[in-house]
Amino acid sequence: MWLKPEEVLLKNALKLWVQERSNQYFVLQRRRGYGEEGGGGLAGLLVGTLDAVLDSTSKVAPFRILHQTPDSQVYWSIACGSSREEITEHWDWLEHNVMKTLSVFDSNEDITSFVQGKIRGLIAEEGKGSFVKEDDPEKFREGLMKFEKCFGLPEQEKLVTYYSCSYWKGRVPCQGWLYLSTNFLSFYSFLLGAEIKLTISWDEISKLEKTSNVILTESIHVCSRGEDHYFSMFLHISETFLLMEQLANYAVRRLFDKETFENDLVLHDPLQITKRGLESRAHSEQFSAFFRLPKEETLKEVHECFLWVPFSHYNTHGKMCISENYICFASQDGSLCSVIIPLREVTGVDKTDPANRGVSISTKGKTAFRFTEVRDFEQLVAKLRMKCNATSSPQHIINTEVAASSASDSPKDFDAGPSKMGQRDNSKTVSTEALMTVYHPQDAENLDSKMLKEKMKEQSWNILFVERGHGVSMFRTKKTRDLVVRGIPEALRGELWLLFSGAVNDMASNPGYYTELVEKSLGTCTLATDEIERDLRRSLPEHPAFQSDTGISALRRVLTAYAYRNPQIGYCQAMNILTSVLLLYAKEEEAFWLLVAVCERMLPDYFNRRIIGALVDQAVFEELIRVHLPQLTDHMMDMTFFSSVSLSWFLTLFISVLPIESAVNVVDCFFYDGIKAILQLGLAVLEYNMEKLLTCKDDAEAVTVLNRFFDSVTNKDSPLPPAVQQGSNLSDTKSDHPKVDITDLIREANERYDDIRYEDVESMRCRNRLYVIQTLEATTKQNVLRVVSQDVKFSPSDLEELYELFKKEHFLSCYWIVNSPVLQHHDASLPYLDQYRIDCQQFRVLCHLLSPWSHCANRDSLALWTFRLLDESSDCLINFKQFACVLDTMYNGSFTDKLKLLFKLHIPPAFTEVESLSPSKGGDLSKEELIHFSQLSVSSVGDSLESDSLKSSPEKGKGKVDIQAYLKQWQDELLKKEENIKDLPRMNQSQFIQFSKTLYNLFHGDPEEELLYRAIAVVTSLLLKMEEVGRRLQSPTSPVKSPVAVVEVPAEIPRKAQEESSSEQTEGSRAQSLRGNHEWSFAFEQILASLLNEPAFVRFFEKPHDIKVKIESAKNLQLKARTRM
């Protein structure tokens, strides 16, 4: 590798380097101790340790070239190499291309200048196609070279960054280097001759956390496959941990959680990941989540500044965050003040008060925001003006200040503008009023005490609007939260939900989108629409709005439109309950965008098939219980109780357990504070019932306690009619539990658990996500092993190791390929056995590593035929059960089983003529050839029937799933009889010739090789005689040339000659029979009976093989096998 020229004082380096070659201008040196017998003695050992501790390039590049000029004590390092071949190549290039040129220069300074320029040019040329885009390219190139040299990973593996740290092996710290790449966490250390090399793939990590104890002040704990690893003494441990967390979660999402990852274009290509890119992505995600902005928003600039707060008459200190379409501000002085200004609302950006570097931003709502002490404020004003001009293009000029209009405003506000979709008469399909205004209109003349309180709440909000602004750009402060905790008034609820959730921004950016979606989705028939229809009348069935066609139709439209928009989620139970509450207080289109905000931003991954998001938040909840309610965790031996009881709390935001009039107050807080509000309320509920829970003897008793508590929760200020209120329908005599007001409960939750911060919750979510997904993966593994263990004779430990190798091979094909076909077929919603499947290429790798017949010369062909035999569904993929069963036959099958397998490999549908396109490779097949042959179909009646059944298979296609087809398929599998050897088709002459060749290849190298070759000749001769006799009996008048004479082999022929003659005879018999009028064929019974008469055959196939040895070897070689390929 060429190096950026650096000065080297040779005087101090003489003891560490040995000169190997030199000329007038260059010196080639070798590091002392490298390549010497015994490592160069004590001097070589100390030099090696010194290199590792000081991160010397010489550890992985023990050769170097220096540039020198005559009469100069200064040398310049210009190249280094990890091997003698590499450095010799550089040396030869210098001699042929540079040496002749140097003689034309007059001075040494000119020579040095020319050499330095040439080397820099070479480095620049090399860097054009490389991935190096870091802050210090030269240093990163050195790190990249060491990474590639130490770990031998495929060249596509992208190094993201590396850090100096200590790895704790027991109680001893080992100083070395931690390398973070797209798929692996790697560590290398070399101290006093002891080398430590560690490679952990991100997808194996189940725990990643920062810890501290007496010995380690602060360290990073990594748990992988039950083993704990500790790394410490980082210069910037928080930065390192954040990056490790991102890479681990990225790998987990890409490999395990395809549902949410597919739409993530930023990280879709693992080769494009950089440290800087990950850091900026983390900041953008935090920014959009905190301000509830669309996921597409990326953070462009952050400025520390002051914002003038007019109603409090002071400047609050904080950060101004700018993205493509928004200017946001969040205070950092404890005032909890935040502002979101969409650029579509900005009417002017001006410089004010140059002495204080002020920027003034005016909006359509007649509000001006004054920022001061802004760095580079003049440039910022110019940029914002350009952004605003771009945003005010015709497609953006619509009335998007949705939140400023109250729920009673005319719906035409939402459809104003040039959009044709927005101008359609959609009253026939889309409801334009919240259901609450239809079914519970407020009587302004007859106000009872509850309605008076409601009007007072509304007045409080109106005062807040006057002071702090109304709409998306309002000031959000502690007073805003206090009013939310008291409960949002019925008339403002839909508007404020839309505002606080950020759904107002989605709706403004997509005018007419919902109406178009409704038209496209209505009438579609999928599994999701079937489930929606089944659940429609279970959604708030006691509410009059959902006892009529108006409410049911609106609910159907919203859920169907969302399932059409996001087929990855489609429909999940609990979405109907949440959507029905949204429709009560928001117009239909608003309810749709609220559902989008909840499913895609506020509760990520909650509503996919495995509800991973909800499980993650339950794990966070358990963690908070341990911290805040330790006496409860001490009493409860099994923490899974909290998970089972709280799942519905998270999935439905307490709507399914609380009376509707109380649940809407919880939803108010959720839209303002996010998941933090649900966690706080969950803790408050458990603390409120602490004494009773501590006396419970089992889970059922604890569930009863909590259910009685929820039944007793009321909302004394709710203006809903008694007929609708669920809490008021319970008679007081039914429960002796004292009534609890929801407002008091929420206020108490806020006060007692106010120290739970948004940042902490997000960090806990990230940490627990790895644990949850690995737990789900462990469950999948246990279920697969339980099913497969019934059909194989492998020990449970061997079967588990085989599963890990199978799954690892599945992942290895996904690490470096953007659109891996195997990854596309991975679906966590499929039955356990079909979640992980491999293709023919991966199967070949595993066969080479694990098969007892892997020494065979035509092993690629054998792997191909085995794969075709197993691939019954013809989708070019096989599952673990199929893989384990065929290996079990090879290792644990009887003589008959193994012979039957070999026989079936040489007849259709498994057998196909295989000819490698490159003769020099012998029996080896390229990846392309392997895939081509694996996809070839055999035209027969059975196959056409199979293809018909495949088309009607209930799993294929994205249409409606046919349950009857599933049941029929299941019944057929149950009735499937054990295969009878009489049912096997006959083997024709070309297949038999290949079968004989395979046997020859299998016996090569066996101690009884000579006996086995002789036996093949005898058996072949016998079979041909039998076939000839059979044909004569069938047609005695037909003269047939006998191939027998050609096949017979005298017993006394030496082994080598016998081998050659046998091969010739087989080919000769083939040629003769081809010339004949009739082709000969054999049944399996004939071959079996003939081979049973040869003891050498029986001994060979009944010889035991130990799969443990193969498994251990495969674990070490699997990654190397992938690297070679």
Side-chain angles (χ1 to χ4, degrees), residues 637-681:
M637 298 301 292
D638 187 5
M639 289 293 284
T640 54
F641 163 73
F642 298 113
S643 298
S644 57
V645 80
S646 65
L647 183 60
S648 62
W649 303 358
F650 290 96
L651 281 173
T652 66
L653 309 179
F654 283 92
I655 296 169
S656 61
V657 292
L658 285 173
I660 183 66
E661 66 275 11
S662 301
V664 290
N665 283 37
V666 179
V667 180
D668 294 343
C669 296
F670 168 74
F671 279 128
Y672 192 84
D673 271 333
I675 193 63
K676 185 177 88 166
I678 306 300
L679 294 167
Q680 287 174 326
L681 184 61

Short mmCIF file of all heavy atoms in Angstrom, two decimals, residues 637-681:
data_model
loop_
_atom_site.label_atom_id
_atom_site.label_comp_id
_atom_site.label_asym_id
_atom_site.label_seq_id
_atom_site.Cartn_x
_atom_site.Cartn_y
_atom_site.Cartn_z
N MET A 637 -42.10 -13.22 41.42
CA MET A 637 -40.96 -14.03 41.01
C MET A 637 -40.78 -13.99 39.49
O MET A 637 -39.68 -14.02 38.98
CB MET A 637 -41.15 -15.49 41.47
CG MET A 637 -41.23 -15.63 42.98
SD MET A 637 -39.76 -15.02 43.81
CE MET A 637 -38.57 -16.23 43.28
N ASP A 638 -41.91 -13.94 38.77
CA ASP A 638 -41.86 -13.98 37.31
C ASP A 638 -42.33 -12.65 36.74
O ASP A 638 -43.50 -12.28 36.87
CB ASP A 638 -42.76 -15.11 36.80
CG ASP A 638 -42.62 -15.31 35.30
OD1 ASP A 638 -41.76 -14.65 34.71
OD2 ASP A 638 -43.37 -16.14 34.74
N MET A 639 -41.40 -11.92 36.09
CA MET A 639 -41.73 -10.60 35.55
C MET A 639 -42.63 -10.69 34.31
O MET A 639 -43.14 -9.68 33.84
CB MET A 639 -40.45 -9.85 35.19
CG MET A 639 -39.64 -9.38 36.37
SD MET A 639 -40.47 -8.12 37.34
CE MET A 639 -40.23 -6.69 36.29
N THR A 640 -42.79 -11.88 33.76
CA THR A 640 -43.63 -12.00 32.56
C THR A 640 -45.09 -11.68 32.86
O THR A 640 -45.86 -11.39 31.95
CB THR A 640 -43.55 -13.41 31.97
OG1 THR A 640 -43.89 -14.36 32.98
CG2 THR A 640 -42.16 -13.70 31.42
N PHE A 641 -45.48 -11.70 34.13
CA PHE A 641 -46.84 -11.31 34.49
C PHE A 641 -47.14 -9.90 34.01
O PHE A 641 -48.20 -9.62 33.44
CB PHE A 641 -47.04 -11.39 36.01
CG PHE A 641 -48.26 -10.65 36.48
CD1 PHE A 641 -49.53 -11.15 36.25
CD2 PHE A 641 -48.14 -9.42 37.12
CE1 PHE A 641 -50.67 -10.45 36.67
CE2 PHE A 641 -49.26 -8.71 37.52
CZ PHE A 641 -50.52 -9.23 37.31
N PHE A 642 -46.19 -8.98 34.23
CA PHE A 642 -46.40 -7.59 33.83
C PHE A 642 -46.54 -7.48 32.32
O PHE A 642 -47.31 -6.66 31.81
CB PHE A 642 -45.26 -6.71 34.33
CG PHE A 642 -45.13 -6.69 35.84
CD1 PHE A 642 -44.03 -7.25 36.47
CD2 PHE A 642 -46.13 -6.12 36.63
CE1 PHE A 642 -43.92 -7.23 37.85
CE2 PHE A 642 -46.01 -6.09 38.01
CZ PHE A 642 -44.92 -6.67 38.62
N SER A 643 -45.80 -8.32 31.60
CA SER A 643 -45.89 -8.28 30.14
C SER A 643 -47.26 -8.74 29.67
O SER A 643 -47.88 -8.11 28.81
CB SER A 643 -44.81 -9.19 29.52
OG SER A 643 -43.54 -8.74 29.86
N SER A 644 -47.74 -9.85 30.24
CA SER A 644 -49.03 -10.38 29.77
C SER A 644 -50.18 -9.45 30.12
O SER A 644 -51.09 -9.25 29.32
CB SER A 644 -49.27 -11.77 30.37
OG SER A 644 -49.23 -11.71 31.78
N VAL A 645 -50.13 -8.85 31.30
CA VAL A 645 -51.25 -8.02 31.73
C VAL A 645 -51.23 -6.64 31.07
O VAL A 645 -52.27 -6.01 30.88
CB VAL A 645 -51.26 -7.88 33.28
CG1 VAL A 645 -50.27 -6.85 33.76
CG2 VAL A 645 -52.67 -7.53 33.78
N SER A 646 -50.05 -6.17 30.68
CA SER A 646 -49.97 -4.80 30.17
C SER A 646 -49.99 -4.71 28.64
O SER A 646 -49.99 -3.61 28.09
CB SER A 646 -48.68 -4.12 30.67
OG SER A 646 -47.54 -4.77 30.14
N LEU A 647 -50.02 -5.85 27.94
CA LEU A 647 -49.98 -5.80 26.47
C LEU A 647 -51.13 -4.97 25.91
O LEU A 647 -50.94 -4.13 25.03
CB LEU A 647 -50.01 -7.22 25.89
CG LEU A 647 -49.89 -7.30 24.36
CD1 LEU A 647 -48.59 -6.68 23.88
CD2 LEU A 647 -50.00 -8.74 23.89
N SER A 648 -52.34 -5.19 26.44
CA SER A 648 -53.50 -4.44 25.93
C SER A 648 -53.41 -2.96 26.30
O SER A 648 -53.93 -2.10 25.58
CB SER A 648 -54.80 -5.03 26.47
OG SER A 648 -54.83 -4.93 27.89
N TRP A 649 -52.71 -2.63 27.40
CA TRP A 649 -52.54 -1.22 27.77
C TRP A 649 -51.79 -0.48 26.66
O TRP A 649 -52.15 0.62 26.27
CB TRP A 649 -51.76 -1.07 29.07
CG TRP A 649 -52.33 -1.78 30.27
CD1 TRP A 649 -53.48 -2.50 30.34
CD2 TRP A 649 -51.74 -1.84 31.58
NE1 TRP A 649 -53.64 -3.01 31.59
CE2 TRP A 649 -52.61 -2.63 32.38
CE3 TRP A 649 -50.58 -1.33 32.15
CZ2 TRP A 649 -52.33 -2.90 33.72
CZ3 TRP A 649 -50.31 -1.60 33.49
CH2 TRP A 649 -51.18 -2.37 34.26
N PHE A 650 -50.72 -1.13 26.19
CA PHE A 650 -49.89 -0.47 25.17
C PHE A 650 -50.55 -0.49 23.80
O PHE A 650 -50.52 0.50 23.08
CB PHE A 650 -48.52 -1.16 25.10
CG PHE A 650 -47.66 -0.90 26.31
CD1 PHE A 650 -47.61 -1.81 27.37
CD2 PHE A 650 -46.92 0.26 26.41
CE1 PHE A 650 -46.82 -1.56 28.49
CE2 PHE A 650 -46.14 0.52 27.53
CZ PHE A 650 -46.09 -0.39 28.56
N LEU A 651 -51.13 -1.63 23.42
CA LEU A 651 -51.70 -1.75 22.07
C LEU A 651 -52.91 -0.85 21.86
O LEU A 651 -53.13 -0.36 20.76
CB LEU A 651 -52.10 -3.21 21.80
CG LEU A 651 -50.97 -4.17 21.41
CD1 LEU A 651 -51.49 -5.59 21.34
CD2 LEU A 651 -50.35 -3.78 20.08
N THR A 652 -53.70 -0.64 22.93
CA THR A 652 -54.93 0.17 22.76
C THR A 652 -54.89 1.47 23.56
O THR A 652 -55.91 2.16 23.65
CB THR A 652 -56.16 -0.64 23.22
OG1 THR A 652 -56.08 -0.88 24.63
CG2 THR A 652 -56.26 -1.97 22.48
N LEU A 653 -53.74 1.82 24.11
CA LEU A 653 -53.59 3.07 24.90
C LEU A 653 -54.62 3.12 26.03
O LEU A 653 -55.22 4.16 26.29
CB LEU A 653 -53.75 4.30 23.98
CG LEU A 653 -52.88 4.30 22.72
CD1 LEU A 653 -53.15 5.54 21.90
CD2 LEU A 653 -51.40 4.23 23.09
N PHE A 654 -54.83 1.99 26.69
CA PHE A 654 -55.75 1.83 27.84
C PHE A 654 -57.23 1.90 27.43
O PHE A 654 -58.10 1.79 28.29
CB PHE A 654 -55.48 2.88 28.93
CG PHE A 654 -54.27 2.58 29.78
CD1 PHE A 654 -53.03 3.10 29.44
CD2 PHE A 654 -54.36 1.77 30.90
CE1 PHE A 654 -51.90 2.82 30.21
CE2 PHE A 654 -53.24 1.50 31.68
CZ PHE A 654 -52.00 2.02 31.33
N ILE A 655 -57.53 2.06 26.13
CA ILE A 655 -58.93 2.18 25.70
C ILE A 655 -59.69 0.88 26.00
O ILE A 655 -60.88 0.91 26.35
CB ILE A 655 -59.02 2.51 24.20
CG1 ILE A 655 -58.40 3.88 23.93
CG2 ILE A 655 -60.46 2.49 23.70
CD1 ILE A 655 -58.19 4.19 22.46
N SER A 656 -59.02 -0.27 25.88
CA SER A 656 -59.72 -1.55 26.07
C SER A 656 -59.97 -1.89 27.53
O SER A 656 -60.77 -2.77 27.83
CB SER A 656 -58.92 -2.68 25.42
OG SER A 656 -57.65 -2.79 26.04
N VAL A 657 -59.28 -1.20 28.46
CA VAL A 657 -59.45 -1.55 29.89
C VAL A 657 -60.15 -0.45 30.68
O VAL A 657 -60.72 -0.72 31.74
CB VAL A 657 -58.09 -1.88 30.55
CG1 VAL A 657 -57.54 -3.17 29.99
CG2 VAL A 657 -57.10 -0.76 30.40
N LEU A 658 -60.11 0.79 30.19
CA LEU A 658 -60.76 1.90 30.90
C LEU A 658 -62.10 2.25 30.25
O LEU A 658 -62.26 2.06 29.04
CB LEU A 658 -59.86 3.13 30.87
CG LEU A 658 -58.64 3.15 31.80
CD1 LEU A 658 -57.78 4.37 31.51
CD2 LEU A 658 -59.06 3.13 33.26
N PRO A 659 -63.04 2.80 31.01
CA PRO A 659 -64.27 3.31 30.40
C PRO A 659 -63.92 4.39 29.37
O PRO A 659 -62.94 5.12 29.55
CB PRO A 659 -65.03 3.90 31.59
CG PRO A 659 -64.46 3.25 32.80
CD PRO A 659 -63.03 2.95 32.47
N ILE A 660 -64.69 4.49 28.31
CA ILE A 660 -64.36 5.37 27.19
C ILE A 660 -64.17 6.82 27.63
O ILE A 660 -63.28 7.52 27.15
CB ILE A 660 -65.45 5.28 26.08
CG1 ILE A 660 -65.09 6.13 24.87
CG2 ILE A 660 -66.81 5.65 26.61
CD1 ILE A 660 -63.89 5.69 24.12
N GLU A 661 -65.01 7.29 28.58
CA GLU A 661 -64.91 8.70 29.00
C GLU A 661 -63.60 8.99 29.74
O GLU A 661 -63.13 10.13 29.76
CB GLU A 661 -66.12 9.09 29.87
CG GLU A 661 -66.22 8.39 31.22
CD GLU A 661 -66.89 7.03 31.15
OE1 GLU A 661 -67.10 6.52 30.02
OE2 GLU A 661 -67.20 6.47 32.21
N SER A 662 -62.99 7.93 30.34
CA SER A 662 -61.70 8.10 31.01
C SER A 662 -60.54 7.85 30.03
O SER A 662 -59.50 8.52 30.09
CB SER A 662 -61.57 7.13 32.18
OG SER A 662 -62.61 7.36 33.12
N ALA A 663 -60.75 6.90 29.12
CA ALA A 663 -59.67 6.52 28.20
C ALA A 663 -59.27 7.67 27.30
O ALA A 663 -58.09 7.81 26.96
CB ALA A 663 -60.11 5.32 27.36
N VAL A 664 -60.25 8.53 26.90
CA VAL A 664 -59.90 9.63 25.99
C VAL A 664 -58.93 10.62 26.64
O VAL A 664 -58.11 11.24 25.95
CB VAL A 664 -61.16 10.36 25.47
CG1 VAL A 664 -61.93 9.48 24.51
CG2 VAL A 664 -62.03 10.85 26.60
N ASN A 665 -58.98 10.74 27.97
CA ASN A 665 -58.01 11.60 28.66
C ASN A 665 -56.59 11.03 28.55
O ASN A 665 -55.61 11.78 28.46
CB ASN A 665 -58.39 11.75 30.14
CG ASN A 665 -59.55 12.72 30.33
OD1 ASN A 665 -60.47 12.76 29.51
ND2 ASN A 665 -59.54 13.50 31.40
N VAL A 666 -56.49 9.70 28.58
CA VAL A 666 -55.18 9.04 28.41
C VAL A 666 -54.67 9.31 27.00
O VAL A 666 -53.48 9.60 26.79
CB VAL A 666 -55.29 7.52 28.66
CG1 VAL A 666 -53.94 6.85 28.46
CG2 VAL A 666 -55.83 7.25 30.06
N VAL A 667 -55.58 9.23 26.00
CA VAL A 667 -55.19 9.48 24.61
C VAL A 667 -54.71 10.93 24.46
O VAL A 667 -53.77 11.21 23.72
CB VAL A 667 -56.36 9.16 23.65
CG1 VAL A 667 -55.95 9.43 22.19
CG2 VAL A 667 -56.79 7.70 23.80
N ASP A 668 -55.37 11.87 25.18
CA ASP A 668 -54.90 13.27 25.16
C ASP A 668 -53.42 13.35 25.53
O ASP A 668 -52.62 13.98 24.83
CB ASP A 668 -55.69 14.11 26.19
CG ASP A 668 -57.16 14.25 25.84
OD1 ASP A 668 -57.51 14.01 24.67
OD2 ASP A 668 -57.95 14.61 26.73
N CYS A 669 -53.07 12.72 26.64
CA CYS A 669 -51.69 12.77 27.13
C CYS A 669 -50.74 12.05 26.19
O CYS A 669 -49.60 12.48 25.99
CB CYS A 669 -51.60 12.15 28.53
SG CYS A 669 -52.53 13.07 29.76
N PHE A 670 -51.22 10.94 25.60
CA PHE A 670 -50.38 10.18 24.67
C PHE A 670 -50.00 11.05 23.47
O PHE A 670 -48.84 11.08 23.06
CB PHE A 670 -51.10 8.92 24.21
CG PHE A 670 -50.44 8.24 23.05
CD1 PHE A 670 -49.26 7.53 23.22
CD2 PHE A 670 -50.97 8.35 21.77
CE1 PHE A 670 -48.63 6.93 22.14
CE2 PHE A 670 -50.35 7.75 20.69
CZ PHE A 670 -49.17 7.04 20.87
N PHE A 671 -50.96 11.76 22.90
CA PHE A 671 -50.65 12.56 21.72
C PHE A 671 -49.72 13.73 22.08
O PHE A 671 -48.99 14.21 21.22
CB PHE A 671 -51.92 13.08 21.06
CG PHE A 671 -52.58 12.05 20.17
CD1 PHE A 671 -53.92 11.74 20.30
CD2 PHE A 671 -51.85 11.40 19.20
CE1 PHE A 671 -54.52 10.79 19.49
CE2 PHE A 671 -52.44 10.45 18.37
CZ PHE A 671 -53.77 10.14 18.52
N TYR A 672 -49.72 14.17 23.32
CA TYR A 672 -48.82 15.27 23.71
C TYR A 672 -47.43 14.75 24.11
O TYR A 672 -46.40 15.29 23.69
CB TYR A 672 -49.40 16.08 24.86
CG TYR A 672 -48.64 17.37 25.09
CD1 TYR A 672 -48.93 18.50 24.33
CD2 TYR A 672 -47.62 17.46 26.02
CE1 TYR A 672 -48.22 19.69 24.50
CE2 TYR A 672 -46.89 18.63 26.20
CZ TYR A 672 -47.20 19.75 25.44
OH TYR A 672 -46.50 20.91 25.60
N ASP A 673 -47.38 13.67 24.91
CA ASP A 673 -46.11 13.20 25.48
C ASP A 673 -45.60 11.89 24.87
O ASP A 673 -44.50 11.43 25.23
CB ASP A 673 -46.26 12.99 26.99
CG ASP A 673 -45.93 14.27 27.75
OD1 ASP A 673 -45.14 15.07 27.23
OD2 ASP A 673 -46.46 14.44 28.86
N GLY A 674 -46.39 11.26 24.01
CA GLY A 674 -45.94 10.01 23.41
C GLY A 674 -46.01 8.84 24.38
O GLY A 674 -46.76 8.87 25.36
N ILE A 675 -45.19 7.82 24.14
CA ILE A 675 -45.26 6.58 24.93
C ILE A 675 -44.92 6.84 26.39
O ILE A 675 -45.32 6.07 27.28
CB ILE A 675 -44.30 5.52 24.32
CG1 ILE A 675 -44.59 4.14 24.91
CG2 ILE A 675 -42.85 5.90 24.54
CD1 ILE A 675 -45.96 3.61 24.60
N LYS A 676 -44.21 7.92 26.68
CA LYS A 676 -43.86 8.25 28.07
C LYS A 676 -45.13 8.34 28.93
O LYS A 676 -45.14 7.89 30.08
CB LYS A 676 -43.09 9.58 28.10
CG LYS A 676 -42.58 9.94 29.48
CD LYS A 676 -41.77 11.22 29.46
CE LYS A 676 -42.69 12.41 29.66
NZ LYS A 676 -41.94 13.64 29.98
N ALA A 677 -46.21 8.90 28.36
CA ALA A 677 -47.47 9.05 29.11
C ALA A 677 -48.04 7.69 29.49
O ALA A 677 -48.58 7.51 30.60
CB ALA A 677 -48.47 9.84 28.28
N ILE A 678 -47.96 6.71 28.60
CA ILE A 678 -48.50 5.37 28.87
C ILE A 678 -47.65 4.68 29.93
O ILE A 678 -48.18 4.02 30.83
CB ILE A 678 -48.53 4.54 27.57
CG1 ILE A 678 -49.31 5.28 26.47
CG2 ILE A 678 -49.13 3.16 27.81
CD1 ILE A 678 -50.74 5.59 26.80
N LEU A 679 -46.33 4.82 29.85
CA LEU A 679 -45.44 4.22 30.85
C LEU A 679 -45.69 4.81 32.23
O LEU A 679 -45.74 4.09 33.24
CB LEU A 679 -43.98 4.43 30.43
CG LEU A 679 -43.53 3.71 29.16
CD1 LEU A 679 -42.18 4.25 28.69
CD2 LEU A 679 -43.43 2.21 29.38
N GLN A 680 -45.83 6.14 32.28
CA GLN A 680 -46.08 6.81 33.57
C GLN A 680 -47.40 6.34 34.18
O GLN A 680 -47.47 6.04 35.38
CB GLN A 680 -46.10 8.33 33.38
CG GLN A 680 -44.73 8.94 33.13
CD GLN A 680 -44.81 10.42 32.80
OE1 GLN A 680 -45.76 10.88 32.17
NE2 GLN A 680 -43.81 11.19 33.20
N LEU A 681 -48.43 6.26 33.35
CA LEU A 681 -49.74 5.84 33.87
C LEU A 681 -49.69 4.38 34.32
O LEU A 681 -50.28 4.04 35.37
CB LEU A 681 -50.81 6.03 32.78
CG LEU A 681 -52.25 5.71 33.22
CD1 LEU A 681 -52.68 6.63 34.36
CD2 LEU A 681 -53.22 5.84 32.05
#
